[in-house]
Every structure is written in structure tokens, then in C-alpha cells.
Amino acid sequence: MASRITDCWERGNEGFRHRTLMNIFDKAPSVHKDAFVAPSASVIGDIEVGEGSSIWYGCVLRGDVNSIRIGSGTNIQDNSLVHVAKSNISGKVLPTIIGDNVTVGHSAVLHGCTVEDEAFVGMGATLLDGVVLEKNGMVAAGALVRQNTKIPSGEVWAGNPAKFLRKLTEEEIAFISQSAVNYKNLAKVHATENAKPFDEIEFEKLMRKKFSRGDEEYDSMLGVVREVPPELILPDNVLPDKSRKSFH
């Protein structure tokens, strides 16, 4: 269910267009056919996205001076940024590697780091060069993890700079796995909706308008009176709480 490569956001005669998947130098993104990339995301250069993973709206993944590797079943949520380092102060070459069934919350920043399988990065968190987040580790929302920090498996780190907070519970570890499954399923819904042609979308809008359920109490507050065609009145045994419910 890989997103189609869409050209949009035309701007006058300047020729600017948004490209969801974009080559850079001699590198091209490789996205599994069963991954979802939202149309407004930017996936650029030397990037691999595995089966069942999802890159959500407004994300930027820029594999220009190094590579980004994302495993299967991982979700990179809306407005997150993933980048890499060609070199840093220590002279290390630092790609970004994200494992399987990882959840990366909205507006997170991952730069030249490694996130192992079934780890969790909270909303707005930042992982700097050389960070390693081990399997089943968690970075709390808003945390700043300094360069070359290693977060052991089963630990929660929080704060700025991030420090060990406590151990994860068994329930929280299970939640990390379930979060990845939930986003994998949700991505299928978004992929299906994004793949619909314009005519189908317009037809569905008309049908929703025609058959949306009315609420008499809400209508009365607005002073709205709806004329209901007799053939659209539901029988009382369908909606027993009210004597008249209808589609309109």
C-alpha cells in the first residue's frame, strides 16, 4: 500500500511541486509495497522503509549525506524529522537505523541515531548523534537525549537532558508492541482513503450527506425542521429509544 508518488502544491509558474519520494545524488528511496507514506511526507535519498511501516503526514526523512533504514511495522508519526550525519565532532559516520515495530511519536527528531526493535520515542523527543535506544526502551515526550547516550532495554528516560527515570512495567512493554500494531492497522485505512480517485471521494461525500443521522434535540436547539421522506424513516424496532429516527 505504498503511497503513490504525488505531485501537488503547484505554485504559479515557478514550477515548485511537492514530491513524496525524491532522489538525491544517485540515491533513491526504497519503500516496501505494503508500507504507507502519507502524500505530504518527504522521503528523500538513501532511505529504506520496510513492510507494514508508516510515514505520516508532514514527516521529513532526509537521507542525503548518509542512509536511513526503517524496519517493518514501524510508525513515524506526523511532523517528525529523521536525518543523518556524514560526520560529527568525533569523526563518526552516523546513519539513522530504526528497527521493527518501533513507535516514534508526533514531532520527534531523530538524528544519526539507532532505535532498536519495539522501542518507543515520545512526542516531541529529540535523539542526537550516536544515541542508542535499546529494544523495549522508552524516551518520554519532550526529552532531549544527548549525543552518544545509550538507553538500556526496559528503561524510561525523561527530561532535558534526558536521564534515567524508572523501569518499564510489563504492561508498558506490552503497550509498546500494541501501539505499533494499532498504527499498522490505522495506516491501512489511510492508505485506502488516499488511493481513492476523485470521483469516488465526491460520491462518498454525497452519500454521507444523504444518509448522515439527524439528531432531533440538536436540530431543535438550532431551530431546524427537517422534512423526512417516508421511505427513509427507520422502524421503531431499529432504534427503540426514539419514536422517529431518520436518515436525511
Side-chain angles (χ1 to χ4, degrees), residues 38-94:
S40 58
S42 297
V43 178
I44 302 163
D46 190 359
I47 296 175
E48 292 181 7
V49 180
E51 179 180 4
S53 288
S54 53
I55 313 300
W56 290 82
Y57 304 95
C59 287
V60 176
L61 282 64
R62 183 154 58 90
D64 47 7
V65 297
N66 213 317
S67 63
I68 296 171
R69 300 290 179 262
I70 297 172
S72 62
T74 286
N75 59 91
I76 312 295
Q77 295 175 20
D78 314 69
N79 295 322
S80 291
L81 170 65
V82 183
H83 194 224
V84 287
K86 186 174 182 180
S87 63
N88 59 10
I89 295 174
S90 65
K92 293 182 179 178
V93 176
L94 295 170

Side-chain angles (χ1 to χ4, degrees), residues 6-236:
T6 350
D7 291 339
C8 57
W9 299 347
E10 295 288 349
R11 190 172 62 184
N13 296 321
E14 297 177 38
F16 174 83
R17 62 187 182 182
H18 173 76
R19 287 189 287 167
T20 303
L21 306 182
M22 192 177 88
N23 299 357
I24 192 77
F25 308 127
D26 60 339
K27 304 297 184 182
S30 174
V31 178
H32 192 279
K33 64 181 180 63
D34 291 325
F36 168 64
V37 179
S40 58
S42 297
V43 178
I44 302 163
D46 190 359
I47 296 175
E48 292 181 7
V49 180
E51 179 180 4
S53 288
S54 53
I55 313 300
W56 290 82
Y57 304 95
C59 287
V60 176
L61 282 64
R62 183 154 58 90
D64 47 7
V65 297
N66 213 317
S67 63
I68 296 171
R69 300 290 179 262
I70 297 172
S72 62
T74 286
N75 59 91
I76 312 295
Q77 295 175 20
D78 314 69
N79 295 322
S80 291
L81 170 65
V82 183
H83 194 224
V84 287
K86 186 174 182 180
S87 63
N88 59 10
I89 295 174
S90 65
K92 293 182 179 178
V93 176
L94 295 170
T96 294
I97 302 170
I98 303 171
D100 299 336
N101 303 315
V102 172
T103 290
V104 176
H106 312 290
S107 299
V109 176
L110 278 62
H111 198 279
C113 60
T114 297
V115 180
E116 295 183 355
D117 298 348
E118 298 180 13
F120 189 99
V121 178
M123 293 183 289
T126 299
L127 279 61
L128 297 179
D129 293 3
V131 167
V132 176
L133 175 58
E134 291 188 343
K135 181 176 181 178
N136 290 327
M138 178 181 285
V139 174
L144 173 64
V145 186
R146 291 184 294 189
Q147 289 186 1
N148 302 317
T149 300
K150 183 176 182 180
I151 297 178
S153 177
E155 293 187 0
V156 185
W157 284 49
N160 182 358
K163 296 180 180 178
F164 170 73
L165 182 63
R166 59 176 175 80
K167 291 283 190 178
L168 283 164
T169 65
E170 292 298 322
E171 291 78 10
E172 288 168 331
I173 291 173
F175 165 77
I176 292 174
S177 296
Q178 188 59 48
S179 175
V181 172
N182 291 346
Y183 260 89
K184 184 176 180 179
N185 293 334
L186 185 59
K188 293 178 182 178
V189 176
H190 282 256
T192 300
E193 191 67 28
N194 276 285
K196 289 178 180 177
F198 178 78
D199 289 348
E200 184 177 351
I201 294 169
E202 290 302 301
F203 175 75
E204 288 184 354
K205 284 165 63 177
L206 289 172
M207 295 302 289
R208 280 195 294 268
K209 184 176 181 181
K210 182 176 181 180
F211 293 110
S212 61
R213 192 178 302 282
D215 186 306
E216 291 89 347
E217 293 176 1
Y218 180 73
D219 289 350
S220 65
M221 286 189 292
L222 297 178
V224 173
V225 177
R226 299 179 189 267
E227 294 184 4
V228 182
E231 67 272 15
L232 294 180
I233 296 175
L234 292 176
D236 291 343

